[in-house]
Amino acid sequence: MTIGGTGSKDTLAELGTEDETQEDYDPYKHRTISKPNSTFGTFVHVMKGAMGVGILSMPYAIRNGGLIFGVIGTFLLGMLYSHCVHLLVNTAYKICKRERVPMLSFAQTVDRACALGSPKFRPIGKILKTIVDYFLMIPIASMIYMVFVGNTIHDVINARTDLDWDVRIYILLVAIPAIGITQMKHPEHYLGCPGIVNINNICLAILYCFIGVVGYLRYGDKIQGSITLNFPQDEDLAMVIQILSAVAILFSIGIFFYVPIETIWRRIHNRVPEKWHVAVQTLIRLLYLVGIVGIACGVPDIGTFVGFIGAVFNPILALWLPIIVDTIYRWPNEFGWMKWRLVKNGLMAVFGMFLLITGIISSVEDIIDLYK
């Protein structure tokens, strides 16, 4: 079987136990990566990518949700998302082992899980693969972060000088070329106990809760949407914190180019002569950067609209698709005692629907408030 094919008629139940040759195949040992990241390097990249400007809004979230519920909810959400990553990566590993291929992308995993599952699920494989690919091509975080950095520098400089430059000028000034990241040297360290996923989510939950609780205790009900808005503009320390937060976000923007560019490159690299590979990849990065800066300058409030897109697609990508992949691949007889895994997946899917509905309502309210 190959990655591109979807004509397999074997399900897990029909195949039964894997043969000895398949059991001996370890996908991790057959990967060829020119410049792989170390385990610690991957951990740092994941932390930088996951810890965005949302951490500055945690005190506001704690105010709305309450201290106890807010802290507990943050840890529970961290555990939920971590579990969904485990579902997706474990399924991808099983498929790689079964088909004797070194690695699969997110979209390929979705497609192959449907192809190897029950025949009634196979038609949706290509549809879901296309949805995943096209959504991953949208650099949502980069748009929001570019606007955040420009606004922060705008507020700091305009408040302390006689300049009255428009925020669009600062967005142009902070535009930098994208930075790429490589894949892991030891991918087996990504999951497991403790594993990068588990350590990363624990650290993120602790940091988010710390900022949220401390910020709320300091400013109380006066806390604003971002804690930096509560900082006194005439204090040097507040200015330094604002600049450092903008710089930290600025140097993380490049990480978010990796997934969309990798997705596009996977779809077009066969059509590009090998001698032009580097030039075309550089051109794609440049076009992405120009496009993001252009959108951010044209619509400085783009974060509100992009937030709506994220509210719709993030629960789908981060929760539903891993659940769907795991369920389809295990269908119909691999769910354990009394099908507890199927029940668990169903409950998580219902919770994902709750997040989807509440996220859409909140985003629509933000858009309405923007034009009041």
Side-chain angles (χ1 to χ4, degrees):
M1 284 181 276
T2 61
I3 295 297
T6 56
S8 170
K9 296 183 179 179
D10 297 324
T11 64
L12 284 180
E14 292 167 346
L15 285 175
T17 59
E18 297 170 321
D19 57 34
E20 183 179 354
T21 304
Q22 184 175 324
E23 286 291 344
D24 290 340
Y25 181 83
D26 187 352
Y28 296 151
K29 296 179 180 179
H30 292 78
R31 297 182 177 182
T32 25
I33 302 172
S34 56
K35 296 179 181 179
N37 274 339
S38 65
T39 300
F40 179 73
T42 302
F43 171 78
V44 172
H45 281 308
V46 173
M47 283 291 292
K48 285 167 61 180
M51 188 183 298
V53 295
I55 194 171
L56 302 177
S57 301
M58 277 304 296
Y60 185 76
I62 293 293
R63 190 202 76 169
N64 291 335
L67 276 173
I68 297 178
F69 181 79
V71 172
I72 295 176
T74 300
F75 275 96
L76 289 179
L77 278 176
M79 291 172 59
L80 178 62
Y81 280 106
S82 178
H83 178 65
C84 287
V85 172
H86 278 266
L87 291 180
L88 185 65
V89 177
N90 276 326
T91 304
Y93 178 79
K94 292 174 185 176
I95 296 174
C96 287
K97 194 177 182 73
R98 177 171 168 179
E99 301 207 316
R100 302 180 67 79
V101 294
M103 68 177 70
L104 291 170
S105 68
F106 188 174
Q108 288 170 335
T109 300
V110 173
D111 181 33
R112 296 310 301 154
C114 293
L116 296 172
S118 173
K120 57 186 175 184
F121 295 125
R122 290 171 191 167
I124 68 173
K126 291 296 183 184
I127 298 174
L128 293 178
K129 179 184 178 183
T130 302
I131 291 174
V132 172
D133 268 345
Y134 279 103
F135 179 73
L136 292 179
M137 291 180 194
I138 304 174
I140 290 179
S142 301
M143 294 183 196
I144 297 175
Y145 291 175
M146 191 68 74
V147 172
F148 169 80
V149 175
N151 277 318
T152 301
I153 302 299
H154 166 271
D155 294 342
V156 170
I157 294 180
N158 283 14
R160 291 176 168 267
T161 66
D162 294 330
L163 294 175
D164 191 23
W165 289 0
D166 188 83
V167 66
R168 294 172 176 83
I169 297 177
Y170 293 99
I171 293 175
L172 287 172
L173 291 177
V174 300
I176 60 171
I179 305 169
I181 62 173
T182 56
Q183 300 195 28
M184 288 187 67
K185 183 177 181 180
H186 300 289
E188 65 273 13
H189 295 168
Y190 194 67
L191 299 182
C193 184
I196 288 179
V197 171
N198 296 332
I199 296 176
N200 177 74
N201 279 286
I202 291 173
C203 292
L204 285 174
I206 293 174
L207 288 172
Y208 269 67
C209 287
F210 176 78
I211 296 296
V213 171
V214 172
Y216 175 68
L217 292 178
R218 171 63 180 84
Y219 295 106
D221 291 336
K222 296 180 180 179
I223 191 70
Q224 298 189 51
S226 173
I227 191 173
T228 56
L229 298 176
N230 289 91
F231 294 163
Q233 295 294 326
D234 56 344
E235 289 189 9
D236 292 337
L237 180 59
M239 179 194 69
V240 171
I241 293 174
Q242 287 178 301
I243 293 176
L244 288 178
S245 63
V247 171
I249 294 299
L250 179 63
F251 286 101
S252 298
I253 289 177
I255 293 178
F256 296 97
F257 282 102
Y258 177 76
V259 172
I261 291 174
E262 180 75 9
T263 303
I264 291 178
W265 184 245
R266 178 166 45 80
R267 296 176 71 94
I268 70 170
H269 76 277
N270 289 330
R271 308 172 191 174
V272 180
E274 187 172 352
K275 65 178 181 179
W276 294 106
H277 279 191
V278 175
V280 173
Q281 288 185 24
T282 303
L283 178 62
I284 294 173
R285 290 176 182 273
L286 180 61
L287 291 175
Y288 255 99
L289 182 63
V290 171
I292 288 172
V293 174
I295 293 173
C297 290
V299 190
D301 294 316
I302 189 66
T304 304
F305 298 95
V306 172
F308 176 80
I309 300 175
V312 173
F313 283 98
N314 282 343
I316 296 175
L317 286 179
L319 289 177
W320 281 358
L321 281 176
I323 293 169
I324 290 172
V325 167
D326 180 70
T327 302
I328 290 177
Y329 192 73
R330 293 180 181 276
W331 192 272
N333 299 318
E334 300 292 324
F335 293 107
W337 180 71
M338 293 187 68
K339 297 188 181 295
W340 69 270
R341 287 190 177 90
L342 182 61
V343 175
K344 179 259 299 178
N345 286 354
L347 292 175
M348 291 197 303
V350 171
F351 183 70
M353 176 63 74
F354 169 76
L355 293 180
L356 177 66
I357 294 174
T358 54
I360 290 176
I361 292 174
S362 176
S363 298
V364 170
E365 288 177 347
D366 290 340
I367 294 174
I368 294 174
D369 291 340
L370 182 65
Y371 288 99
K372 275 186 178 180

